[in-house]
Amino acid sequence: MKIQTGIFSLLLLCSSCGVRYTASTDVVKDNFDFASQQLKYAFTEIDSVKSGFTDEQKERHLFAPRNIQPDGSLRLVASRDWCSGFFPGELWYMYEYTKDNYWKQKAEEFTAPVEREKTNAGTHDMGFKVYCSFGNGYRLTGNKEYKEIMLQSAATLITRYKENVGCIRSWDHNRDKWQCPVIIDNMMNLELLYWAFKESGDSIYYNIAVNHARTTMRNHFREDYSSYHVVDYDTITGAVLHKHTHQGYAHESAWSRGQAWGLYGYTMCYRETRLPEFLKQAERIAGFIFSSKTLPEDLIPYWDYNAPQIPDEPRDVSAAAVTACALYELSTYVSDMSMQYKVWADAILENLTKGYRARLRGDRGFLLLHSVGSGNHNSEMDVPIIYADYYFLEALLKKAKLEATGSAVL
């Protein structure tokens, strides 16, 4: 795998935040100090939006920021939205870093509305919603009520498992297009099932998670270990019917966040199972990402590795942040590439800090600019999106823990 050059300059300029950023800057402290101010500003932005709600909007229980809309306004979502767990998760990360009860109280406040999702069997996004919010809360506080909510959520999630397919069904929409769609993103929701297995002792959670990961590994990946976004299965025979994209550029293109989901997902699966096949798959995905001819020098990918107008395509910082999270942990499981994985992860965080950070007390309180939700639909194009911020803070925490203890597992 090639090593990108030109990313280790001794002096970097943080143009977005107006401070000098050097190689000796503590990137973790600098960003958490920034996040502390920015998230407090975000609370004022959230309150401002909610103060103008109509009765209909109040009834929808909109509470969690997701993005900045084309008109510049802050978009809040309800718990049913797949992004509802990321903002409370950010607040838990603030509490983890600062140990300040202010952040614990704010995290509890924004976590509580997600509880209603624990019995929502109409979605595969239980991990994103519940594990990122209640999962971090339980990990940091040991709150027994959080544990019960998570166990109920895991039990709800496995009702979507299709035995004939060997996967958890992702979406229920577009039934005219797909019978049983499974998306690469779904790898991220397996962490909740591995947790439920350890907490309950019920092997059904472990077995479903492993089966899903193996089926996905068998059908989602091309010869170069890039990933399809959506694989559609016959619900009766389990046969693959279609291999598509939904949010990427084309069916045969490599949607950048999808590659990051896969890298993170298989790294996590190796942690939870110690099955060598999952570690090998994670390394192969990393090999694809960092050997890509279209990966920019600063390691912040375009929204799709095959987008037609590169280098004039939007970047996707969310893909970079998720990738950095995975690389820190992956570096602890290998020997020959350990140092290189960490070098790449460090470079991603440094470059996100110097070139992609939001304006202090601006940009509606988001931390990072320049994410893409669904380029195929021209949706959430080149805007701040909440999951980029969440995984940015997670990567920073993993870096800090890795350098302090040798482990990147939070």
Side-chain angles (χ1 to χ4, degrees), residues 30-43:
D30 175 68
N31 278 296
F32 272 98
D33 287 349
F34 168 72
S36 179
Q37 298 177 75
Q38 195 71 346
L39 289 171
K40 288 175 182 176
Y41 175 71
F43 296 141

Side-chain angles (χ1 to χ4, degrees), residues 249-396:
Y249 166 62
H251 294 327
E252 293 298 329
S253 72
W255 175 50
S256 63
R257 195 164 66 254
Q259 314 316 303
W261 292 144
L263 177 62
Y264 189 118
Y266 282 100
T267 301
M268 175 270 297
C269 282
Y270 176 71
R271 177 220 308 157
E272 299 297 337
T273 68
R274 296 294 161 166
L275 292 172
E277 65 200 90
F278 294 152
L279 178 59
K280 184 179 293 185
Q281 188 70 5
E283 290 216 85
R284 286 167 170 168
I285 299 168
F288 167 79
I289 291 172
F290 290 96
S291 64
S292 172
K293 294 180 180 179
T294 63
L295 182 66
E297 189 174 85
D298 67 358
L299 309 186
I300 313 303
Y302 300 100
W303 69 276
D304 192 297
Y305 287 96
N306 304 106
Q309 302 300 320
I310 291 173
D312 298 319
E313 296 280 356
R315 303 295 186 93
D316 186 2
V317 304
S318 72
V322 173
T323 296
C325 286
L327 289 173
Y328 281 123
E329 185 171 350
L330 186 59
S331 74
T332 68
Y333 301 141
V334 297
S335 55
D336 56 332
M337 288 294 291
S338 175
M339 183 176 296
Q340 185 59 70
Y341 290 151
K342 186 176 185 299
V343 165
W344 280 329
D346 285 344
I348 289 171
L349 289 187
E350 290 168 4
N351 289 325
L352 288 175
T353 301
K354 75 181 180 69
Y356 298 84
R357 219 161 69 173
R359 292 172 294 121
L360 183 61
R361 299 184 189 89
D363 298 304
R364 305 299 180 191
F366 286 92
L367 306 183
L368 295 176
L369 308 176
H370 307 302
S371 286
V372 173
S374 179
N376 191 30
H377 299 91
N378 198 33
S379 173
E380 296 180 302
M381 295 298 292
D382 196 20
V383 296
I385 305 179
I386 195 64
Y387 43 79
D389 293 0
Y390 173 86
Y391 287 106
F392 183 49
L393 292 187
E394 180 176 307
L396 291 163

Side-chain angles (χ1 to χ4, degrees), residues 80 141 220 244 340:
R80 291 181 63 85
T141 69
H220 262 78
H244 286 170
Q340 185 59 70

Side-chain angles (χ1 to χ4, degrees), residues 22-212:
T22 70
S24 62
T25 299
D26 184 338
V27 69
V28 177
K29 182 179 186 302
D30 175 68
N31 278 296
F32 272 98
D33 287 349
F34 168 72
S36 179
Q37 298 177 75
Q38 195 71 346
L39 289 171
K40 288 175 182 176
Y41 175 71
F43 296 141
T44 68
E45 290 289 291
I46 293 167
D47 290 342
S48 177
V49 171
K50 294 176 73 172
S51 69
F53 273 178
T54 64
D55 290 341
E56 183 273 334
Q57 287 174 312
K58 292 177 182 178
E59 291 176 358
R60 290 166 57 195
H61 302 288
L62 307 176
F63 76 101
R66 172 166 171 162
N67 58 36
I68 294 179
Q69 301 189 89
D71 65 0
S73 63
L74 175 64
R75 178 187 175 191
L76 301 182
V77 295
S79 64
R80 291 181 63 85
D81 189 275
W82 78 274
C83 295
S84 64
F86 293 120
F87 189 70
E90 277 190 82
L91 304 180
W92 284 117
Y93 285 154
M94 291 300 301
Y95 173 61
E96 182 167 9
Y97 180 79
T98 65
K99 306 300 189 293
D100 186 337
N101 280 329
Y102 168 83
W103 293 108
K104 179 184 177 183
Q105 292 166 5
K106 298 301 288 187
E108 290 171 338
E109 174 188 339
F110 280 87
T111 295
V114 184
E115 179 178 356
R116 68 184 66 193
E117 294 305 302
K118 66 185 179 183
T119 56
N120 180 4
T123 175
H124 72 107
D125 288 314
M126 198 66 82
F128 285 131
K129 291 190 286 189
V130 175
Y131 196 81
C132 293
S133 56
F134 285 100
N136 281 312
Y138 179 65
R139 179 173 63 84
L140 295 171
T141 69
N143 186 325
K144 293 182 179 179
E145 293 181 4
Y146 285 9
K147 176 181 177 180
E148 293 307 311
I149 290 167
M150 292 173 67
L151 287 172
Q152 176 61 67
S153 300
T156 299
L157 178 57
I158 64 172
T159 65
R160 297 184 63 80
Y161 181 68
K162 306 302 178 185
E163 188 73 39
N164 291 352
V165 173
C167 277
I168 297 167
R169 181 189 182 104
S170 295
W171 296 324
D172 291 339
H173 60 71
N174 287 95
R175 290 179 181 268
D176 59 328
K177 184 188 300 186
W178 302 307
Q179 283 193 32
C180 182
V182 176
I183 61 177
I184 190 64
D185 320 39
N186 213 348
M187 288 294 302
M188 302 293 286
N189 293 299
L190 303 184
E191 192 165 13
L192 174 63
L193 300 187
Y194 287 122
W195 173 89
F197 163 65
K198 290 183 290 187
E199 291 292 328
S200 70
D202 191 337
S203 61
I204 190 172
Y205 298 110
Y206 179 92
N207 292 336
I208 286 177
V210 169
N211 288 347
H212 182 103

